Amino acid sequence: AARVLLVGAGRFGQVITQMLRARGAEVTAIDLDGELIEITQRFGNKVWFGDGRRLDILRAAGIEQAGLLVFAIDSAWDPATIEPIRREWPNLPILARAYDRMHWLALRKAGVETVVRETFDSAVHLGREALAALGTPVTIIDAIEDEYRRRDVERLDLQLCSDDQMAGADRLIRAPLSFDPASLGEIPPDLGAAPGLSRSPPAATDDREAAGD
């Protein structure tokens, strides 16, 4: 069975653990919260006490036999701790949970291959529910989500390459979008039926909005 080291055994890490176990993976978790460890062990989880960013703790937990290292820590922890881990185990895949957008960028720059923002998908899901509550057709909801995700990826790429958190601010959605009815099979309410996709020129943004989720 595949062996996975999971740093962070809280609510986020527990979801990952169950999904990995469904595939037959052997998961060993590491956490600094003694009370949390006691609770999770009642459910049959194997959890080590310690700071999973330390090399000695990782060795003790069995990283030499692991095929994957996952960081599910509930904070904007320092990405600099990745460097010695990457240097010691250069071929070990590393995945990480990011606290927000800026933490995501810092983790990617530190060499983490796959980084997931902790609130991103849940926020998108709730945004879909909000649109549905307003009576928006599902085809329009899907189109809005696709467009938002596309713009967000573009912003992240620009921010990562330029090291400027304001890069890609023009990708923020600031006005109603119109979609091609022929491609969607629906006409957006109150947005007109102009072909293609368009929006009004962007307004000025500030650092708080640019930092984002």
Side-chain angles (χ1 to χ4, degrees), residues 6-7 11 20 41 47 72-73 80 82 88 93 105 113 122 125 140 190-191 196 211:
L6 177 71
V7 181
R11 63 191 189 281
L20 289 171
Q41 285 180 336
V47 186
I73 303 172
I82 291 293
E88 192 72 14
L105 292 166
E113 294 90 347
S122 57
H125 182 82
I140 300 301
D190 303 323
L191 298 183

Side-chain angles (χ1 to χ4, degrees), residues 6-7 122 153 183 198 202 207:
L6 177 71
V7 181
S122 57
V153 168
S183 65
S198 64
D207 291 349

Side-chain angles (χ1 to χ4, degrees), residues 102 105 109 155 158-168:
M102 302 312 295
L105 292 166
K109 291 173 185 175
R155 283 185 64 209
L158 289 168
Q159 290 171 319
L160 188 62
C161 293
S162 67
D163 200 24
D164 178 8
Q165 73 176 41
M166 298 302 295

Side-chain angles (χ1 to χ4, degrees), residues 34-210:
E35 182 178 355
L36 175 65
I37 291 174
E38 181 181 353
I39 293 173
T40 56
Q41 285 180 336
R42 296 176 189 171
F43 294 91
N45 296 324
K46 183 178 180 181
V47 186
W48 289 71
F49 177 80
D51 186 344
R53 294 164 294 183
R54 288 175 43 182
L55 301 187
D56 57 336
I57 298 295
L58 290 172
R59 286 196 183 92
I63 194 172
E64 301 290 354
Q65 292 76 45
L68 177 66
L69 175 61
V70 181
F71 286 95
I73 303 172
D74 184 16
S75 67
W77 50 281
D78 187 357
T81 57
I82 291 293
E83 183 179 349
I85 296 172
R86 173 58 68 218
R87 187 168 56 246
E88 192 72 14
W89 298 284
N91 298 318
L92 181 66
I94 299 177
L95 283 62
R97 163 193 185 180
Y99 179 75
D100 57 14
R101 188 180 204 87
M102 302 312 295
H103 194 219
W104 185 96
L105 292 166
L107 287 167
R108 288 289 287 113
K109 291 173 185 175
V112 181
E113 294 90 347
T114 301
V115 185
V116 175
R117 285 173 283 167
E118 62 182 30
T119 62
F120 182 77
D121 285 307
S122 57
V124 170
H125 182 82
L126 191 57
R128 289 183 61 93
E129 294 296 332
L131 288 167
L134 294 176
T136 309
V138 66
T139 50
I140 300 301
I141 294 175
D142 289 343
I144 289 173
E145 178 181 350
D146 289 346
E147 178 65 10
Y148 172 74
R149 288 182 179 274
R150 182 187 68 79
R151 290 170 182 243
D152 187 69
V153 168
E154 289 180 356
R155 283 185 64 209
L156 286 171
D157 287 343
L158 289 168
Q159 290 171 319
L160 188 62
C161 293
S162 67
D163 200 24
D164 178 8
Q165 73 176 41
M166 298 302 295
D170 60 333
R171 269 67 170 182
L172 292 167
I173 299 174
R174 299 182 178 280
L177 304 178
S178 60
F179 300 91
D180 181 359
S183 65
L184 298 177
E186 298 280 356
I187 299 177
D190 303 323
L191 298 183
L197 175 64
S198 64
R199 66 175 181 83
S200 60
T205 186
D206 59 29
D207 291 349
R208 290 172 297 175
E209 185 173 11

